[in-house]
Amino acid sequence: MCVLVEFPGGVHREIPAQLRQISAQQLNGPAEFEQVPLNCDPHWKFERRGNHWVALPRNGQLVALRPRDLAWWQFVDLMVEHEQGTVSAAQGDVEPPFDMQPAA
């Protein structure tokens, strides 16, 4: 689905849209929906002006999201993913409290 949006300079373009509910379902009839432009363009945001949509330039900057610090579990030695075949010193020194026997 697309909705017609007016850009600066009088240019009209179709922008991907979604259906959004604008009123709850009433006793006599179904709920009402409208097409709303998706807010996914890094250069433009969309506003309703009367019965039509208008594109406005975005202000500011977009910053890529990335983790700032290590996750809490990366400090727990047992939860660190080690390479195959390597065992940490703490894990290599621990012996099980009982002898393990095969089930069959």
Side-chain angles (χ1 to χ4, degrees):
M1 290 189 289
C2 292
V3 65
L4 197 61
V5 175
E6 181 181 346
F7 283 79
V11 177
H12 289 80
R13 285 190 234 159
E14 289 190 351
I15 301 297
Q18 66 180 358
L19 279 178
R20 186 173 290 167
Q21 186 173 357
I22 57 174
S23 68
Q25 186 172 3
Q26 300 172 0
L27 298 175
N28 300 5
E32 294 180 18
F33 293 87
E34 69 173 337
Q35 286 187 342
V36 178
L38 291 177
N39 193 17
C40 61
D41 192 308
H43 304 289
W44 302 100
K45 60 183 178 178
F46 307 107
E47 262 186 25
R48 177 185 290 287
R49 298 261 171 96
N51 293 334
H52 64 281
W53 291 93
V54 177
L56 301 171
R58 287 191 186 270
N59 296 328
Q61 294 179 310
L62 295 177
V63 178
L65 298 175
R66 61 184 177 276
R68 293 184 178 188
D69 298 325
L70 293 175
W72 65 268
W73 62 83
Q74 293 174 339
F75 296 107
V76 179
D77 190 47
L78 292 175
M79 298 180 83
V80 174
E81 293 181 1
H82 297 286
E83 293 181 23
Q84 291 285 354
T86 62
V87 178
S88 70
Q91 291 174 341
D93 296 340
V94 176
E95 293 185 20
F98 52 88
D99 291 334
M100 298 185 71
Q101 300 292 329

